[in-house]
Amino acid sequence: FVPSVADTSGAIVAGLATGVFFIQRQRILADPLLDLRLFRIPAFSASLATYTVGVFVAFGTTFFMAQYLQLVLGLKTMEAGLWSLPGALVSIVGSNIAPQLVRRIRPAYVIASGLILAALGAGVLAMVNTDALVLVVLGNVLMSFGFGMTFALTADLVVGSAPPERAGAASAISETGAEFGGAMGIAILGSIGMAVYRSQIAGNLPAGIPVDVLHEAQETLGGAFSAVERLSSDVGATLLSVAQRAFVDGFQLVAVIGAISFVLLAVLVAVLLRH
C-alpha cells in the first residue's frame, strides 16, 4: 500500500491538530503532564534544545555510518560493530571527564567545547569517499567524545535549571526530548540523505537497465545489492558503483548538516548558558 498525497496530508493535519489540542489542554491543567512553564526558563530551554538537537544529529549520522561500514566498505556485521566500538568507548570517557572539568570551567564553555569537537568529527565524516575506514572511525571518535561531554552536562542542566518541585517533570521532558530528537534525526536526515541518493542514482545509471530493477536500486543501497543479482556482471558492477557513490554523497551532506548544527549549538550555549 502506497499512501496518496491526500492520505499523507490528512495524517499531517490530524497530527498537528492533536498536538495543538494537547498543548492547549496542558496550559489549563493544575498538574500538567507537560509543564510548559518550564520553557520560560532560558537555561532550561537552551539546555533542552542542545540535548535534543545533539541527539538528532548523532542518530541521523550514525544511521548512515552503520550502513556505510557494511554496504560500502563491505564489512561483516561483527567487523562493523567492532569498528564502531571506539566511538562508544570515548563517549563514555567524555561523559565522565565533563563533570570534572566544570569544577574549574563554566559549564557553558565545556559544553561548547564538546560541541566544537563534535562538529570537527562531523566535518571529518563529510570528507569520506567509497574507501575511507580511517576517516569514518576518526570522525566517529571525535563526534562521540565531544557529544559525550555535551550529553552528560546538558542532561544535568535541564533538570538542575528547573524548580526542585518540578525536577521530575524536567527529567521526563529531557528523556522525551532525546527520544524525539533521535526519531526525527533518522526520519529527517535519513530522508535528506536518501533524496540525494535517489537523485544521483537516477542521473548516473547506464541506459538499458529494466525499470523494475531501477526502482529497486533507487529505494535503498540494500535494494541496489539485490538488484545487481538480476543483471549481467558488467552492468551490475556499474550499478553497484553508482549506488555506493550516491550513498556516500548523501552521507556527506548529512555530515555537513551535522557539523553546522553542532557549531550553531555551540554558539547558542556559549551565549545563553554562560552565567
Side-chain angles (χ1 to χ4, degrees):
F1 171 70
V2 179
S4 65
V5 175
D7 293 332
T8 304
S9 301
I12 292 174
V13 171
L16 291 174
T18 303
V20 171
F21 172 77
F22 174 78
I23 291 174
Q24 293 298 328
R25 187 168 183 274
Q26 295 303 299
R27 287 178 174 176
I28 62 176
L29 292 177
D31 189 19
L33 178 66
L34 178 63
D35 193 347
L36 298 174
R37 292 169 295 184
L38 291 173
F39 291 93
R40 298 174 185 172
I41 304 172
F44 176 88
S45 297
S47 301
L48 181 64
T50 303
Y51 188 65
T52 302
V53 176
V55 174
F56 169 89
V57 174
F59 271 57
T61 306
T62 304
F63 173 74
F64 279 88
M65 187 174 65
Q67 295 181 73
Y68 175 89
L69 291 173
Q70 296 182 68
L71 299 179
V72 177
L73 295 184
L75 300 180
K76 295 180 180 179
T77 304
M78 179 63 75
E79 292 174 328
L82 290 175
W83 282 114
S84 301
L85 190 58
L89 294 177
V90 298
S91 178
I92 296 172
V93 173
S95 64
N96 282 276
I97 287 177
Q100 306 300 320
L101 294 177
V102 295
R103 296 178 179 179
R104 300 180 180 179
I105 306 172
R106 290 186 178 187
Y109 300 149
V110 176
I111 295 173
S113 299
L115 290 168
I116 293 299
L117 271 178
L120 289 174
V124 171
L125 293 177
M127 296 186 293
V128 301
N129 51 36
T130 54
D131 185 18
L133 177 60
V134 173
L135 287 180
V136 169
V137 174
L138 176 60
N140 185 35
V141 165
L142 288 173
M143 190 172 70
S144 298
F145 182 78
F147 188 61
M149 296 171 58
T150 301
F151 191 85
L153 294 182
T154 50
D156 285 346
L157 284 175
V158 168
V159 178
S161 60
E165 67 275 10
R166 304 305 298 166
S171 178
I173 293 173
S174 173
E175 289 302 312
T176 302
E179 297 293 338
F180 178 75
M184 294 302 290
I186 294 174
I188 295 177
L189 294 181
S191 296
I192 291 173
M194 291 311 297
V196 173
Y197 170 80
R198 287 165 184 159
S199 67
Q200 294 289 353
I201 283 280
N204 293 286
L205 283 181
I209 294 180
V211 175
D212 59 331
V213 174
L214 176 60
H215 287 168
E216 184 176 2
Q218 284 183 310
E219 286 299 315
T220 62
L221 182 55
F225 272 86
S226 298
V228 165
E229 299 175 358
R230 305 205 300 273
L231 300 172
S232 64
S233 58
D234 292 341
V235 177
T238 301
L239 169 61
L240 197 56
S241 176
V242 170
Q244 289 175 328
R245 179 66 253 178
F247 183 86
V248 169
D249 288 344
F251 185 17
Q252 290 175 335
L253 177 59
V254 167
V256 169
I257 293 172
I260 295 172
S261 299
F262 280 133
V263 170
L264 293 177
L265 285 176
V267 174
L268 174 74
V269 167
V271 172
L272 296 182
L273 297 179
R274 65 185 184 279
H275 298 307

